[in-house]
Amino acid sequence: MAYRQTLLLFLCLSVPTQSFAHWPPRAGPAAGLLHLQGACNKTSYVDQCVQSLAANPESQGADRQGLIAISIRTAAEVAAGIATYIAKSLNATVNDKALWQCLNICSGSFEDAIQRLNISMAAMDVKAIVEIIRWMNAAMGDIETCDRGCKEVRGKMKEELIENIENFRRQCVITLDLAAPFG
């Protein structure tokens, strides 16, 4: 019995205590970027995911739920930018009736999408991932209404709108991809 105690004491004293001084390893910017890259690698749009999330300094130390919250906020910012673009376009003289209807429908669609993204953020606050997924899908459904309302429109303004809508849609898909393992 004394032999075991002596052996245990010897082993405990022979392990260098300094090796545990920095355990777990400190996470620096490189570690945060690696975590971000790893999470984004599981999304459908890896490059946009990394670019949009890394642009937010909070992403550096964020866990997966933090990245989801940042992605929702990013989607809301994109949607708000599109809503502003649509509002400015509607306030300008629009002589094309089909274009005016398109913009009017999209204006309502993006207002609804922004409301749904705000609900998603509230769900994120209580970590209700299933609700986030539901509201993100609803926001994407709102945008489908916009797409359908613009089917007959042609021209540069529609091309710009479609490009912005696709950017928003990709950000929503990124958010859904990040949330999927939790849902």
Side-chain angles (χ1 to χ4, degrees), residues 11-25:
L11 289 174
C12 287
L13 293 175
S14 66
V15 174
T17 56
Q18 281 295 343
S19 66
F20 297 106
H22 299 292
W23 189 260

Side-chain angles (χ1 to χ4, degrees), residues 98-99 101-103 105-106 144-155 158 161-162:
L99 177 59
Q101 287 176 332
C102 159
L103 293 172
I105 289 168
C106 288
E144 293 302 321
T145 302
C146 175
D147 279 344
R148 286 191 303 274
C150 294
K151 202 173 208 176
E152 303 300 318
V153 177
R154 304 278 182 261
K158 180 186 177 186
L161 181 61
I162 295 301

